[in-house]
Amino acid sequence: MDKKLLISSGILVFLIIFYFYDSSKQSSYQDTYINVFNFDHSQINKVIILKNNDGIELNRVDSLWNISGHDSLIIKSTSIKKLFDETLNVKINSLEVSKNADDLSIYSLDSSKGVNLILLDESGSTLSNVVFGISTSNYYANFFRESNSEIVYQTNSNVLNYLTTNLNYWGEKPEIIIPDSTKSTPSDL
């Protein structure tokens, strides 16, 4: 009986040691997300968004944003807010999806499908130059890479909706109020 108890105890100790060893190995494979834009966002003075042969440039003058080349449009505050609150707070999974340059088109991160986001400071220095893309099989999350890298990461949310080159998304024509000259005023009487 003592021999059976000793063998059972040995197996139990082995299983406990194996459990803790396996748990420590598994924890190294857990998803950890890191911020993409690790700098003070108030440093951003210019935002350039490029897709295919189309692009848009947003400039900050003091605290106001405008669209370069389109002085007749005023920036929609909701669009800038979404850029800063959603896009600039996106996180990427620390585990790489791919390192193969041939896979960039699969994740829409090549020059023909990807959306390039360039952030510049007041002196014109590049704060960030990244590319976002989306897989045809997963529309919830985006894929991400640095513009000078071929390493692909997955983001924690879809931010491509906020990275459009459409002028109507970013700006609107100001409402012009024209006084009605047909109404009489008390001074006219």
Side-chain angles (χ1 to χ4, degrees):
M1 182 79 174
D2 290 330
K3 188 176 183 180
K4 289 182 184 179
L5 183 62
L6 191 59
I7 292 173
S8 298
S9 299
I11 291 174
L12 180 64
V13 168
F14 174 76
L15 288 175
I16 291 172
I17 291 171
F18 180 75
Y19 170 78
F20 285 114
Y21 172 77
D22 187 53
S23 294
S24 68
K25 284 291 190 186
Q26 292 295 328
S27 66
S28 68
Y29 295 115
Q30 289 182 353
D31 289 345
T32 55
Y33 286 91
I34 55 176
N35 288 331
V36 172
F37 304 103
N38 288 325
F39 54 85
D40 182 12
H41 297 161
S42 65
Q43 295 176 342
I44 300 171
N45 240 36
K46 186 181 287 188
V47 175
I48 302 170
I49 302 170
L50 304 170
K51 181 172 172 116
N52 293 331
N53 295 327
D54 200 13
I56 190 166
E57 184 176 306
L58 308 172
N59 291 309
R60 186 182 68 177
V61 179
D62 295 326
S63 63
L64 298 176
W65 287 89
N66 60 42
I67 303 171
S68 294
H70 298 281
D71 294 335
S72 63
L73 297 176
I74 58 171
I75 285 281
K76 294 179 183 176
S77 61
T78 56
S79 298
I80 287 292
K81 183 170 175 40
K82 286 180 183 176
L83 174 73
F84 278 87
D85 292 348
E86 302 291 332
T87 305
L88 297 182
N89 288 319
V90 70
K91 297 177 191 270
I92 57 170
N93 191 326
S94 61
L95 297 175
E96 301 164 354
V97 175
S98 172
K99 290 183 180 179
N100 189 350
D102 296 335
D103 290 346
L104 294 181
S105 63
I106 294 171
Y107 302 109
S108 302
L109 290 171
D110 56 357
S111 59
S112 64
K113 297 178 187 174
V115 176
N116 190 284
L117 174 65
I118 304 167
L119 305 172
L120 305 172
D121 65 9
E122 190 172 7
S123 66
S125 299
T126 303
L127 296 170
S128 182
N129 187 350
V130 298
V131 180
F132 287 95
I134 195 162
S135 175
T136 55
S137 62
N138 180 4
Y139 293 107
Y140 173 71
N142 298 135
F143 293 96
F144 162 89
R145 73 176 175 93
E146 294 281 338
S147 66
N148 58 355
S149 174
E150 296 170 348
I151 301 173
V152 177
Y153 299 94
Q154 187 173 10
T155 64
N156 65 337
S157 63
N158 184 346
V159 296
L160 282 178
N161 297 331
Y162 313 121
L163 297 175
T164 179
T165 57
N166 185 342
L167 286 174
N168 293 326
Y169 174 80
W170 292 104
E172 60 190 353
K173 292 184 178 180
E175 186 177 323
I176 300 173
I177 300 172
I178 303 173
D180 189 1
S181 61
T182 60
K183 292 183 182 178
S184 60
T185 61
S187 63
D188 292 341
L189 297 176

